[in-house]
Amino acid sequence: MTGDYLLEGLAVPETLNLLHDLLERVGHEHPDIDGGDLMLFETAVIEVAGNVVEHGRPQGAVSWTFQLRVLPERLEARLSDSGEEYPGGTWGLEMPTDPLQEDGRGLALATAVLDDLEYERTDSVNHWTMIRTRA
Amino acid sequence: MTDSRTAVLQPTGRLNMVAAPAFKNLVEETVASGQTRIVVDLALVTFIDSSGLGALISGLKATRQAGGDLRIAVVPEQVMTVLRLTNLDRVLPAHATVLDASHDW
């Protein structure tokens, strides 16, 4: 996909704040986007990106490209990363059953706020596609 | 209302993967100093992610292990939504004000 917005960099914790800043810019430039939609989309983007930062290998050396499109009916983003392949299936997509578990909620939370979250690997690149239908 | 065992912590901005480790350490240091009843005032938190939630749960466990508790107050909309979606509103119920959270430990 081609994005209205593009961000490239290394998948390290500090660059998550650049993604936050980008989402904030999207909100300023598209005041017609429902605040709740943007808030939940940002939540999903940060969780998916955080998952790459945490589980992408080799850690600290994974680079990514983030693209975002604002369409009349939906918000669509794609995060492409250069890391190793991720295990497939429903890995990480369900909430932990132990409420006092400290981690493991990221992708489950992203799934809960998106209409579609897809993972695919093509030509040694991981692609995470996130879609939220607009209110 | 409060005593020497009670502390109010007020994180600001984004409580995400960048900020969560420092917040977790702050809670641990607070508990280690003998203040095992902690109210986290979330009024100035603009965004929380699962790392931030993990830091709150870590703090909840640390305070309880020391005989205290951790409570959250003045919870903004995004934080409340994320707590509900992860079912963590059951273990971390939101208090309207810091004062409300500081009674009946």
Side-chain angles (χ1 to χ4, degrees):
Chain A
M1 64 174 263
T2 51
D4 301 331
Y5 295 87
L6 175 71
L7 185 73
E8 293 175 302
L10 267 185
V12 292
E14 291 68 27
T15 54
L16 289 174
N17 281 331
L18 299 178
L19 282 175
H20 280 293
D21 294 343
L22 180 72
L23 268 294
E24 209 170 289
R25 205 180 107 207
V26 172
H28 285 305
E29 292 178 0
H30 294 271
D32 55 308
I33 300 175
D34 177 80
D37 275 341
L38 193 61
M39 176 189 86
L40 293 175
F41 196 65
E42 180 176 358
T43 301
V45 167
I46 294 302
E47 292 300 344
V48 171
N51 189 65
V52 172
V53 170
E54 203 172 340
H55 299 290
R57 295 291 179 273
Q59 199 163 31
V62 174
S63 58
W64 63 21
T65 302
F66 177 79
Q67 297 174 83
L68 184 148
R69 277 202 298 182
V70 179
L71 297 165
E73 78 285 4
R74 67 184 192 273
L75 300 173
E76 189 178 308
R78 179 183 248 199
L79 185 69
S80 304
D81 78 75
S82 67
E84 294 167 16
E85 186 167 6
Y86 294 84
T90 56
W91 169 77
L93 296 181
E94 303 211 0
M95 290 291 170
T97 48
D98 175 5
L100 295 183
Q101 187 175 317
E102 291 174 34
D103 54 12
R105 292 183 179 82
L107 287 185
L109 180 55
T111 304
V113 298
L114 292 173
D115 291 285
D116 196 18
L117 170 62
E118 284 185 13
Y119 167 69
E120 60 177 343
R121 184 171 172 87
T122 50
D123 299 328
S124 303
V125 177
N126 301 300
H127 300 284
W128 304 85
T129 305
M130 299 159 254
I131 292 172
R132 181 174 171 88
T133 305
R134 293 174 62 178
Chain B
M1 177 195 101
T2 55
D3 55 40
S4 61
R5 290 180 62 193
T6 305
V8 178
L9 303 182
Q10 192 178 53
T12 59
R14 297 161 180 157
L15 192 48
N16 60 9
M17 192 182 278
V18 183
F23 180 71
K24 186 177 166 180
N25 287 342
L26 177 64
V27 172
E28 284 169 4
E29 285 165 14
T30 305
V31 171
S33 76
Q35 291 178 297
T36 58
R37 296 168 173 173
I38 295 179
V39 177
V40 183
D41 178 352
L42 292 169
L44 299 179
V45 169
T46 55
F47 185 95
I48 195 166
D49 70 359
S50 56
S51 303
L53 293 177
L56 288 175
I57 295 167
S58 164
L60 182 68
K61 290 197 284 194
T63 52
R64 287 184 179 173
Q65 277 162 12
D69 203 1
L70 179 143
R71 297 173 181 174
I72 56 172
V74 206
V75 182
E77 188 189 351
Q78 190 268 348
V79 180
M80 198 63 240
T81 303
V82 167
L83 286 169
R84 285 200 193 103
L85 288 168
T86 53
N87 299 320
L88 288 176
D89 52 336
R90 296 176 202 167
V91 289
L92 284 168
H95 297 265
T97 65
V98 171
L99 193 60
D100 286 346
S102 307
H103 290 290
D104 305 321
W105 290 97

